[in-house]
Each structure stands twice: as structure tokens, then as C-alpha cells.
């Protein structure tokens, strides 16, 4: 079973180390000591990640959609072509790049600094062991 330090847990949760420590101190997820380090067991961290995602989804008004992989973030770059466009969104620690029509970008008002949600629905997802 994998275990994570508070710092590693914070990176996986997309929050600061201080926030992860406060959550652990408030017993939102269990930790244990391994010498001087606080550790989180993988299954406990996974369950907490799901809980945090559900809380975030409930806090936001989400449209009716079949897409379950939503990455809320901020637009960091827009490259307009004659017909197409490339939009980059920073969603927490994730950089998402999407190719879409110029017309869609203009209709949505996508520009650097705008809030946006990247929604991903794919038939193939590749998973590597980190």
C-alpha cells in the first residue's frame, strides 16, 4: 500500500501544504507518524480526494451534462486562427489545451483571465503508475 507525506498529499489535492495540515489537524483525513513525518495511507487519501471533489461539485452550479471529468480553471492563452483556435486552461496543477473553432471561442467570450471549465470525455484514457 502506498503512503504519502503531507506535502505529497497537498500536491495531489491541489492545495497548499498548510491547507493539507489544517485538514489533517481537523481530522478530515487520517494520518499517522513515521518518525518525524506525518503520513497518509493511499486508500484514505483517495477517499478524501473523492470527498473534496464531490464537495466542490456541490458548491458549484454545474450544468446538466454526461461529462463527469470537469476541470474548472482560468484561461491562460488563446491562439486564434482563421477558422480554428487553441485555448489553454490552468485548472489547479493541470494545464489543459483544447482545439476548437474560432467561432466557439468568440461566442463563449474566451480570453486570457476568463474563468472556464474544461470538460473531458474520451473513449481512451491512458494511466501510468507514478
Amino acid at each position: 500500500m502506498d503512503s504519502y507525506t503531507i506535502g505529497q498529499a497537498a500536491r495531489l489535492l491541489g492545495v497548499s501544504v498548510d491547507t493539507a495540515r489544517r485538514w489533517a489537524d481537523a481530522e478530515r483525513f487520517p494520518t499517522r507518524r513515521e518518525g518525524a513525518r506525518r503520513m497518509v495511507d493511499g486508500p484514505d487519501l483517495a477517499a478524501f480526494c473523492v470527498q473534496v471533489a464531490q464537495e466542490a461539485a456541490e458548491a458549484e452550479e454545474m450544468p446538466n451534462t454526461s461529462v463527469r471529468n470537469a476541470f474548472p480553471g482560468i484561461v491562460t492563452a488563446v491562439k486564434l486562427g482563421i477558422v480554428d483556435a487553441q485555448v489553454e486552461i490552468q485548472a489547479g496543477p493541470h494545464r489543459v489545451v483544447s482545439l476548437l473553432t474560432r467561432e466557439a471561442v468568440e461566442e463563449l467570450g474566451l480570453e486570457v483571465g476568463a474563468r472556464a471549465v474544461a470538460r473531458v470525455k474520451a473513449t481512451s484514457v491512458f494511466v501510468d503508475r507514478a
Side-chain angles (χ1 to χ4, degrees):
M1 169 176 41
D2 288 345
S3 295
Y4 301 90
T5 65
I6 291 291
Q8 290 169 323
R11 281 190 296 282
L12 291 168
L13 288 162
V15 298
S16 70
V17 174
D18 287 338
T19 296
R21 281 192 188 113
R22 281 193 298 275
W23 285 347
D25 290 344
E27 298 180 357
R28 291 200 58 197
F29 60 87
T31 61
R32 59 181 168 73
R33 289 274 178 199
E34 220 174 76
R37 301 172 95 173
R38 279 173 90 174
M39 303 298 291
V40 183
D41 290 331
D44 293 329
L45 182 58
F48 184 65
C49 286
V50 170
Q51 177 186 339
V52 168
Q54 287 172 341
E55 289 170 1
E58 290 169 4
E60 287 187 34
E61 213 174 286
M62 302 299 268
N64 291 330
T65 179
S66 65
V67 180
R68 299 292 178 242
N69 302 309
F71 299 91
I74 187 167
V75 175
T76 56
V78 176
K79 297 175 188 165
L80 295 174
I82 295 171
V83 176
D84 62 346
Q86 177 179 313
V87 176
E88 294 183 24
I89 297 172
Q90 192 66 40
H94 308 288
R95 176 179 163 255
V96 181
V97 180
S98 179
L99 300 176
L100 55 162
T101 65
R102 180 185 181 122
E103 181 181 12
V105 169
E106 291 169 350
E107 284 179 6
L108 291 169
L110 296 177
E111 59 187 22
V112 173
R115 287 188 302 178
V117 178
R119 298 190 189 282
V120 180
K121 187 165 187 175
T123 56
S124 298
V125 176
F126 300 90
V127 176
D128 294 328
R129 173 91 185 198

